[in-house]
C-alpha cells in the first residue's frame, strides 16, 4: 500500500480482551478466531490494509504488561501468516517502542503511533513523544516499517496548545510516513472543511489519513483530499463495536472510493 492520492481503505481488527488479569478475558484461541473472521471480512470487502489493535484491553495502561505483549505477538503472527492484505499495529496508549519492535520483527507494514510528536493527556496518564525511540530503532535496525503518526489523537487532550499545522510539519520532518487525523472520540470525524484547508497548506506529498468517524454518508467529503481512511465502528454488524466486521458494509465503503 503506497502513499498515493487514491484514497485507500484501512479496516480495524479490534482484538477481544487479551490482558488476562482482568475479568471476562477471552482465551487466546477465541481472540484469534474472532480476529481472523474480521480479517477475512475486510479482505473479501476489498480493504487495502488492516490495523490489529488491542482495543478491548480496558483500562489501557502506558506500561503494557508482558502477558498482553506475548498474547498480542502470538495473535498478530498468526494473522500476518494468513493475511492477503498489509497489516499494521496499534497498541493502545503505549508510551514505549513496543509497536516498532514488534512491527519490525513480525514484518508489519506500518505502526500507528498515537503520540509521535505531542504530549497528550489521557485517562491512563501522560503520553509523551515517541519519535526519538521509534526513529532511533528504525535507523539502527534498518527497518522498513512505516509510521502512521496521530496528531490530536482522539480520547486525549493536549498538554500545550500548538497549531496543528506545526505538529504535522514537525512529524513529517522527524520521519512520519503518514499523518492520522481524528475526531474527539471513536466514531466522530474531523470537520471536512478543516481537512480541506490543511491539505491546501501542506505539500502535495504529505500523506493524510482520516482515523475516525468515516461512514458511507460522509466519505465523499474526504475521499478526494486525503490518502486514506481508517474505519472501525461504522463497519461492524449492527453498528456494535462488540460485533464482527460486516463484509457488506466494507464493500459499500470501498465502492464509494472507486
Amino acid at each position: 500500500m503506497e502513499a498515493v492520492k487514491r484514497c485507500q481503505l484501512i479496516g480495524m481488527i479490534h482484538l477481544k480482551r487479551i490482558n488476562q488479569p482482568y475479568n471476562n478475558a477471552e482465551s487466546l484461541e477465541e481472540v484469534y478466531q474472532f480476529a481472523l473472521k474480521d480479517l477475512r471480512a475486510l479482505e473479501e470487502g476489498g480493504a487495502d490494509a488492516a490495523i490489529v489493535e488491542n482495543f478491548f484491553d480496558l483500562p489501557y495502561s502506558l506500561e503494557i504488561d508482558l502477558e498482553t505483549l506475548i498474547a498480542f505477538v502470538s495473535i498478530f503472527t498468526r494473522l500476518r501468516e494468513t493475511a492477503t492484505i498489509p497489516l499494521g499495529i496499534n497498541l493502545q496508549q503505549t508510551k514505549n517502542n513496543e509497536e516498532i519492535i514488534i512491527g519490525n520483527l513480525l514484518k508489519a507494514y506500518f505502526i500507528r503511533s498515537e503520540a509521535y510528536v505531542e504530549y497528550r493527556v489521557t485517562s491512563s496518564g501522560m503520553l509523551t513523544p515517541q519519535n526519538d525511540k521509534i526513529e532511533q530503532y528504525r535507523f539502527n535496525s534498518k527497518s522498513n516499517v512505516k509510521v502512521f503518526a496521530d496528531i490530536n489523537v482522539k480520547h486525549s487532550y493536549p498538554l500545550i496548545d500548538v497549531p496543528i499545522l506545526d505538529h504535522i510539519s514537525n512529524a513529517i520532518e522527524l520521519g512520519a510516513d503518514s499523518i492520522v487525523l481524528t475526531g474527539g472520540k471513536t466514531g466522530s470525524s474531523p470537520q471536512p472543511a478543516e481537512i480541506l484547508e490543511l491539505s491546501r497548506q501542506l505539500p502535495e506529498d504529505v500523506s493524510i489519513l482520516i482515523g475516525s468517524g468515516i461512514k458511507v454518508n460522509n466519505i465523499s467529503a474526504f475521499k478526494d483530499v486525503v490518502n486514506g481512511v481508517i474505519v472501525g465502528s461504522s463497519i461492524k454488524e449492527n453498528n456494535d463495536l462488540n460485533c464482527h466486521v460486516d463484509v457488506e458494509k466494507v464493500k459499500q465503503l470501498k465502492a464509494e472510493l472507486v
Side-chain angles (χ1 to χ4, degrees):
M1 188 183 68
E2 300 299 326
V4 296
K5 279 301 179 184
R6 182 176 73 84
C7 187
Q8 304 201 15
L9 180 63
I10 304 171
M12 294 301 306
I13 298 176
H14 291 143
L15 297 185
K16 289 296 186 180
R17 184 187 294 278
I18 57 178
N19 53 353
Q20 296 290 335
Y22 298 99
N23 291 331
N24 301 317
E26 308 282 346
S27 75
L28 207 56
E29 185 61 25
E30 289 173 327
V31 175
Y32 169 70
Q33 290 298 333
F34 195 98
L36 180 61
K37 185 173 180 180
D38 283 351
L39 172 61
R40 293 293 179 247
L42 291 169
E43 291 171 335
E44 184 180 343
D48 297 288
I51 301 177
V52 181
E53 177 187 55
N54 62 327
F55 183 82
F56 288 102
D57 279 350
L58 296 165
Y60 300 135
S61 172
L62 302 183
E63 299 284 351
I64 299 179
D65 63 272
L66 183 59
E67 186 173 32
T68 298
L69 281 176
I70 293 172
F72 186 93
V73 166
S74 172
I75 293 166
F76 186 88
T77 299
R78 295 175 70 185
L79 292 174
R80 173 69 178 78
E81 288 173 348
T82 189
T84 61
I85 57 176
L87 295 185
I89 289 172
N90 183 200
L91 288 169
Q92 276 287 346
Q93 298 189 4
T94 177
K95 69 175 185 178
N96 296 310
N97 59 349
E98 298 97 338
E99 286 180 328
I100 189 63
I101 293 173
I102 294 171
N104 185 55
L105 293 176
L106 301 185
K107 303 186 184 306
Y109 184 79
F110 62 90
I111 65 168
R112 180 175 179 177
S113 173
E114 295 177 335
Y116 185 71
V117 293
E118 300 171 87
Y119 290 88
R120 304 293 298 184
V121 180
T122 76
S123 58
S124 303
M126 177 73 70
L127 290 175
T128 57
Q130 296 178 307
N131 66 83
D132 58 336
K133 299 173 184 176
I134 290 172
E135 297 309 332
Q136 285 176 14
Y137 183 87
R138 284 212 291 181
F139 178 80
N140 291 334
S141 65
K142 297 180 172 58
S143 174
N144 294 320
V145 178
K146 297 185 182 298
V147 175
F148 293 180
D150 271 286
I151 301 294
N152 288 348
V153 68
K154 59 188 176 181
H155 300 292
S156 71
Y157 302 91
L159 180 64
I160 305 169
D161 282 329
V162 176
I164 188 171
L165 194 61
D166 290 354
H167 276 319
I168 293 174
S169 299
N170 191 24
I172 294 299
E173 181 179 350
L174 289 170
D177 298 288
S178 291
I179 300 298
V180 182
L181 301 174
T182 68
K185 61 183 181 180
T186 297
S188 67
S189 69
Q191 294 300 312
E194 294 177 2
I195 301 302
L196 178 59
E197 182 59 29
L198 276 174
S199 69
R200 288 171 174 167
Q201 298 180 63
L202 292 168
E204 280 192 19
D205 61 349
V206 173
S207 173
I208 298 292
L209 309 174
I210 301 301
S212 68
I214 293 298
K215 306 174 180 65
V216 169
N217 63 7
N218 71 359
I219 196 170
S220 62
F222 296 98
K223 68 177 184 177
D224 293 328
V225 294
V226 301
N227 300 84
V229 294
I230 300 171
V231 292
S233 55
S234 69
I235 56 172
K236 293 298 184 75
E237 296 171 351
N238 304 318
N239 296 316
D240 185 346
L241 277 167
N242 295 287
C243 292
H244 279 292
V245 171
D246 186 327
V247 65
E248 294 304 320
K249 290 184 176 181
V250 180
K251 289 180 179 179
Q252 289 171 11
L253 274 177
K254 184 66 176 181
E256 294 292 325
L257 296 176
V258 175

